[in-house]
């Protein structure tokens, strides 16, 4: 009895998305001694690889990617004429540069960085009317952020104190300034009502009963007539 061979016992596929049969074709290319014949065979393998993803045929540089993948599956040992410059092993193994993470300190994390930017804009604003509108906008945004972080109600005085702390000095608040109601700040948009008509079960049953009574009266008349 022939012993079964599992994929885990076979050679690891470099690009598993193409499958083992394509990998076998690439391995066979390495055994062809004639360079021209090897190049012709490689083009045939490229066509087969492209047939696996017909929806990508119109994607720019798709053929270029196929040739790159062929080089990778051959472990860059395939000596052929290619229509595109192939990548090197060193290029593929290059590690990307580390992303610079923002390490700036946020005084009140529940307000976020945006509030600090708004405070800076208030500090730079010279027009009195625009400055007043920006103060009201910032305070309401702070109140909404506070309520999102802490579901309990918050006094407006707390928001005034925090905005002064972030500003760095006592900010002259607009006269008669009042913040929005917590319910208005946290109110979710209601879903649009469906236009589908609702079935009225009582009317539906009533109509069915009327139909049944009419049918019984019809059959009764028919029987009496006979």
């Amino acid at each position: 009895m022939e012993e079964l061979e599992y994929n885990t016992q076979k050679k690891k596929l470099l690009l598993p998305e193409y499958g083992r049969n394509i990998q076998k074709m690439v391995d066979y290319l390495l055994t062809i001694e004639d360079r021209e014949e090897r190049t012709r065979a490689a083009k045939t393998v490229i066509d087969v690889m492209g047939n696996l993803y017909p929806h990508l045929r119109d994607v720019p540089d798709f053929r270029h990617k196929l040739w790159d993948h062929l080089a990778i599956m051959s472990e860059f040992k395939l000596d052929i004429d290619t229509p595109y410059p192939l990548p090197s092993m060193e290029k593929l193994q290059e590690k990307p540069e580390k992303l610079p993470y923002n390490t700036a300190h946020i005084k009140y994390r529940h307000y976020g960085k945006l509030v600090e930017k708004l405070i800076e804009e208030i500090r730079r604003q010279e027009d009195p009317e625009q400055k007043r509108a920006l103060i009201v906008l910032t305070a309401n945004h702070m109140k909404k952020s506070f309520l999102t972080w802490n579901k309990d109600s918050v006094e407006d005085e707390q928001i005034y104190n925090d905005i002064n702390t972030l500003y760095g000095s006592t900010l002259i608040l607009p006269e008669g300034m009042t913040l929005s109601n917590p319910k208005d700040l946290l109110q979710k948009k209601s879903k649009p009502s469906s236009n589908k008509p609702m079935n009225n079960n009582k009317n539906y049953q009533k109509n069915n009963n009327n139909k049944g009574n009419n049918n019984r009266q019809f059959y009764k008349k028919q029987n009496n007539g006979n």
Side-chain angles (χ1 to χ4, degrees):
M1 183 177 179
E2 185 177 354
E3 186 178 355
L4 293 175
E5 186 179 9
Y6 297 95
N7 285 333
T8 53
Q9 298 172 312
K10 299 178 181 179
K11 178 183 176 182
K12 183 180 179 180
L13 296 177
L14 297 175
L15 294 178
E17 57 268 31
Y18 288 103
R20 191 163 298 277
N21 287 333
I22 297 294
Q23 183 62 57
K24 288 181 178 180
M25 294 180 188
V26 177
D27 293 341
Y28 175 73
L29 294 177
L30 297 172
T31 65
I32 301 176
E33 296 181 0
D34 184 74
R35 195 171 190 276
E36 292 185 2
E37 183 182 352
R38 189 165 60 244
T39 299
R40 288 195 299 269
K43 292 179 180 178
T44 302
V45 175
I46 289 291
D47 292 336
V48 176
M49 291 167 61
N51 289 335
L52 296 176
Y53 304 98
H55 58 288
L56 296 177
R57 288 179 179 175
D58 298 329
V59 176
D61 297 332
F62 175 58
R63 299 284 294 184
H64 192 172
K65 290 180 181 179
L66 291 178
W67 283 98
D68 288 349
H69 292 171
L70 179 65
I72 293 172
M73 286 190 288
S74 68
E75 298 182 10
F76 300 91
K77 298 176 182 177
L78 196 57
D79 179 25
I80 54 175
D81 296 325
T82 61
Y84 308 98
L86 298 179
S88 62
M89 179 69 76
E90 294 75 15
K91 187 70 175 177
L92 289 176
Q93 291 179 345
E94 281 184 3
K95 294 183 179 180
E97 296 180 2
K98 292 184 178 180
L99 293 175
Y101 289 98
N102 189 0
T103 57
H105 175 70
I106 300 177
K107 190 173 185 63
Y108 295 120
R109 300 185 69 86
H110 52 281
Y111 290 136
K113 190 67 178 176
L114 177 59
V115 168
E116 294 185 357
K117 291 181 178 180
L118 289 172
I119 295 293
E120 289 297 323
E121 185 62 30
I122 292 173
R123 189 177 286 110
R124 289 192 298 265
Q125 190 59 247
E126 297 180 358
D127 184 85
E129 289 298 322
Q130 291 189 8
K131 188 168 187 174
R132 180 187 187 281
L134 190 56
I135 291 172
V136 175
L137 173 67
T138 303
N140 276 310
H141 180 75
M142 290 172 64
K143 186 173 182 179
K144 182 178 180 181
S145 299
F146 191 102
L147 292 170
T148 303
W149 167 69
N150 185 357
K151 297 300 182 182
D152 296 335
S153 181
V154 58
E155 297 295 334
D156 291 353
E157 191 66 27
Q158 175 71 47
I159 302 299
Y160 300 153
N161 292 335
D162 290 346
I163 197 172
N164 282 328
T165 302
L166 290 170
Y167 190 73
S169 61
T170 302
L171 182 64
I172 300 176
L173 300 176
E175 186 178 355
M177 172 180 169
T178 56
L179 302 183
S180 300
N181 188 282
K183 291 183 179 179
D184 295 333
L185 290 172
L186 298 178
Q187 186 178 11
K188 295 181 180 179
K189 293 182 179 180
S190 57
K191 294 182 180 179
S193 59
S194 176
N195 294 325
K196 294 182 180 179
M198 296 180 64
N199 290 330
N200 191 320
N201 292 333
K202 292 183 178 179
N203 292 336
Y204 179 77
Q205 293 176 357
K206 184 178 179 181
N207 292 334
N208 282 343
N209 292 335
N210 290 337
K211 289 180 181 179
N213 293 333
N214 293 335
N215 289 336
R216 285 192 292 271
Q217 292 176 3
F218 173 78
Y219 287 118
K220 186 175 181 180
K221 290 180 181 179
Q222 291 291 328
N223 292 333
N224 291 337
N226 294 334

